[in-house]
Amino acid sequence: MATYGTIHDIDNHLTGLRARRVWEYWRGQAGSAPTPSWDNFKLIDVYQDAPIMLVLDVLLRPDITDFRYRFVGTTIVQNRWKLEVPDHTGLTFYEVSHQYDFQEVKGAYDRCVSTGHPTLLQRNFETYDASGTHERLILPLLGASGDVDKLIVIVERLKERKTSRPTGPTLF
């Protein structure tokens, strides 16, 4: 579908109402800076959108950039019900399994870290129990060093068609 990497393009193409709320908060916290710091971004201020949010710690290694899942929203965990470990909190990107090919998403995360610019991915998705379209808004946050230290990721399903349902309760 589409990828956007400038403030202007994201402003003009972001369609998810919940992603839009976090986007506007992120922009407000940045003020005149291009990117806010983790200290200025308060999760409690966007609590109503936490279920569709991820917080990733950036782990810079000599050969690769990895990410540790600091926070995984409840809706995201529920959408991963068929994975062996649906809640990735505390795990790194390379320690978890994904429901679909995550190379493009990983590339977007890496670019966001290296450039310090937000990214919006609008894509079709196909998981174990649903298909449709979603937006993935990736927002960098700066650490004390001035480098990107964390990513806020909002995954909002815009259109969704359930293809199967779990037969029993979701087990976490």
Side-chain angles (χ1 to χ4, degrees):
M1 292 184 52
T3 300
Y4 304 99
T6 68
I7 300 285
H8 176 76
D9 284 343
I10 294 171
D11 255 343
N12 288 328
H13 292 95
L14 187 64
T15 60
L17 298 177
R18 298 174 81 186
R20 169 74 59 188
R21 264 196 311 255
V22 178
W23 168 250
E24 290 174 356
Y25 175 77
W26 180 85
R27 299 245 356 246
Q29 295 309 106
S32 61
T35 303
S37 70
W38 172 242
D39 290 341
N40 290 342
F41 193 96
K42 307 295 183 202
L43 288 176
I44 192 66
D45 292 341
V46 290
Y47 73 91
Q48 71 272 25
D49 301 307
I52 62 168
M53 188 181 301
L54 303 158
V55 178
L56 306 174
D57 293 326
V58 177
L59 306 174
L60 295 175
R61 301 199 170 131
D63 56 338
I64 200 158
T65 300
D66 200 355
F67 301 93
R68 182 170 315 282
Y69 290 85
R70 174 181 285 262
F71 172 82
V72 180
T74 55
T75 299
I76 293 172
V77 172
Q78 289 171 350
N79 289 340
R80 295 175 175 172
W81 67 271
K82 198 160 183 172
L83 294 177
E84 188 174 321
V85 179
D87 185 353
H88 297 162
T89 303
L91 301 174
T92 68
F93 183 87
Y94 290 107
E95 291 175 329
V96 302
S97 61
H98 300 280
Q99 294 187 77
Y100 48 89
D101 184 356
F102 246 61
Q103 288 180 340
E104 182 181 31
V105 173
K106 175 65 164 79
Y109 289 174
D110 289 349
R111 278 190 307 282
C112 194
V113 169
S114 66
T115 65
H117 296 210
T119 300
L120 172 64
L121 303 173
Q122 295 173 325
R123 298 288 187 269
N124 293 320
F125 71 90
E126 184 87 28
T127 63
Y128 294 122
D129 68 334
S131 63
T133 59
H134 74 277
E135 290 182 324
R136 180 179 300 266
L137 179 61
I138 308 163
L139 303 171
L141 295 173
L142 301 179
S145 68
D147 294 326
V148 175
D149 184 51
K150 298 196 179 2
L151 297 179
I152 299 294
V153 181
I154 298 85
V155 182
E156 184 169 358
R157 291 185 175 184
L158 304 173
K159 294 179 186 173
E160 179 178 20
R161 184 177 67 81
K162 293 290 185 186
T163 54
S164 69
R165 300 292 298 163
T167 56
T170 303
L171 302 175
F172 296 102

